[in-house]
Amino acid sequence: MKTLKIGIAEYDRMKARTMAIACGEYKPARGEPKVWFTSVESFAKVLSQRNRELLALIARERPDSITELAEMSGRNKSNLSRTLKTMARYGLVELERGRRGSLAPRTPFDRVRIDVS
């Protein structure tokens, strides 16, 4: 089972951590979150109930394209594409090149764990 670890911290704290890593002053420990949100609310928007259902559908059905996923989910393709790109930025989905250059959504994780500082 593969788990995505997500951290939640204030913007200034995340920025300071990122700068310390970039300057070589801090090395993240194994098991620390790789993805960060500035609030529980911002995380909840990305991982809403509707989007969690979408992730479960992707994991179960493994659609060959965003078009196929739109048909399966009943969601509008353009809105779905935008949602998937947002989720991809946070590492919740991967968009792989499928047949004839289409994008095929994949779920790289079985679980998500939240660490709140």
Side-chain angles (χ1 to χ4, degrees):
M1 186 175 304
K2 194 169 179 185
T3 302
L4 173 64
K5 295 169 186 121
I6 293 177
I8 296 177
E10 295 174 352
Y11 175 79
D12 291 339
R13 192 171 187 182
M14 286 185 344
K15 183 177 177 182
R17 180 182 182 278
T18 302
M19 293 301 294
I21 292 168
C23 294
E25 299 166 359
Y26 177 73
K27 184 177 179 190
R30 187 172 183 210
E32 276 192 43
K34 302 262 189 269
V35 176
W36 291 86
F37 286 86
T38 56
S39 68
V40 173
E41 292 81 12
S42 63
F43 172 75
K45 285 180 185 177
V46 174
L47 212 58
S48 65
Q49 177 65 32
R50 191 167 185 216
N51 287 346
R52 288 192 310 272
E53 290 168 2
L54 183 65
L55 289 172
L57 180 63
I58 293 168
R60 186 177 60 250
E61 301 296 330
R62 298 188 49 86
D64 290 326
S65 67
I66 293 174
T67 301
E68 186 178 329
L69 180 60
E71 292 168 4
M72 289 177 183
S73 66
R75 291 172 78 162
N76 178 285
K77 184 180 172 185
S78 63
N79 292 340
L80 182 60
S81 180
R82 196 170 28 258
T83 296
L84 290 172
K85 287 179 183 176
T86 298
M87 293 173 114
R89 270 199 328 266
Y90 289 107
L92 297 167
V93 298
E94 293 175 348
L95 298 172
E96 300 175 352
R97 285 283 168 204
R99 288 188 238 145
R100 292 179 257 159
S102 63
L103 291 176
R106 298 290 177 254
T107 53
F109 301 97
D110 302 304
R111 298 177 348 156
V112 173
R113 188 185 87 201
I114 304 171
D115 290 343
V116 182
S117 59

